[in-house]
Amino acid sequence: MNRKFSIDDNHIINLGKIHSRAGNITVIEGDQLIPFSVKRVYFLYDVPGGAERGGHAHRNLFQLIVAASGSFDVILDDGTKRETFNLNQPYKGLIVTPGIWRELVNFSSGSICLVLASELYYERDYIRDYNYYLNYKNDTSSI
Ligand code: TYD
């Protein structure tokens, strides 16, 4: 079923911002604002200028991607359509469903890419070859 997700199921959500005495707080509660329970959190940092991350899809993993600091672009591709989402505010997050190819590019200096994920790390959940991915999306035999 997860291979059926399209770009249209992926979108930026407003996480909200609590103004506190000095600075702001953004809270992300699993199963509330985002459509999954969070099992894993990781963050990318010290990404060299010009570097590209991602370049894969997941079979079952949901993610929320946040530019906790700085900015970067997330290019999503569902095998039919490609769309670029610019993330540049820590209170905005991109929901990425399973079955979507993603590439992360244009990291600003010092940026931090925070990722909340629905599953623990599992290499067999990855599809890292784009041609394999296109075949996977077009194969309806096991749906
Ligand atoms: P990968 O997810 O391919 O990076 P990105 O999508 O950010 O470009 O992960 C890079 C390496 O880090 C990969 O060899 C596996 C390892 N890794 C873990 O061990 N655990 C994790 O939770 C993640 C996200 C990656």
Side-chain angles (χ1 to χ4, degrees):
M1 271 310 279
N2 283 341
R3 73 186 71 197
K4 295 284 263 181
F5 282 112
S6 78
I7 292 283
D8 298 335
D9 301 306
N10 291 250
H11 50 271
I12 290 181
I13 59 172
N14 197 330
L15 302 168
K17 187 200 281 190
I18 300 167
H19 299 277
S20 61
R21 263 180 311 115
N24 302 311
I25 303 174
T26 288
V27 181
I28 306 166
E29 292 186 313
D31 287 326
Q32 303 289 324
L33 199 55
I34 58 175
F36 58 89
S37 304
V38 178
K39 278 203 185 153
R40 179 167 55 114
V41 174
Y42 63 92
F43 38 99
L44 304 176
Y45 54 97
D46 291 347
V47 178
E52 297 187 7
R53 304 290 312 230
H56 55 74
H58 287 279
R59 297 170 196 272
N60 293 309
L61 191 74
F62 285 83
Q63 291 174 309
L64 177 80
I65 303 180
V66 179
S69 184
S71 66
F72 50 84
D73 292 331
V74 184
I75 303 167
L76 297 185
D77 179 334
D78 63 11
T80 305
K81 216 161 96 181
R82 268 173 103 81
E83 195 169 329
T84 300
F85 297 85
N86 177 247
L87 292 178
N88 58 9
Q89 289 160 319
Y91 55 88
K92 296 277 175 77
L94 176 64
I95 299 281
V96 183
T97 63
I100 302 291
W101 187 268
R102 90 287 313 277
E103 291 159 17
L104 282 73
V105 297
N106 296 330
F107 286 88
S108 68
S109 172
S111 57
I112 299 176
C113 171
L114 174 67
V115 182
L116 280 65
S118 65
E119 305 296 335
L120 301 180
Y121 173 73
Y122 183 45
E123 182 58 35
R124 286 172 64 182
D125 188 63
Y126 283 75
I127 298 172
R128 294 189 183 273
D129 181 89
Y130 188 67
N131 287 324
Y132 182 96
Y133 169 72
L134 292 179
N135 288 331
Y136 168 85
K137 287 299 271 189
N138 291 326
D139 177 10
T140 51
S141 60
S142 61
I143 292 173

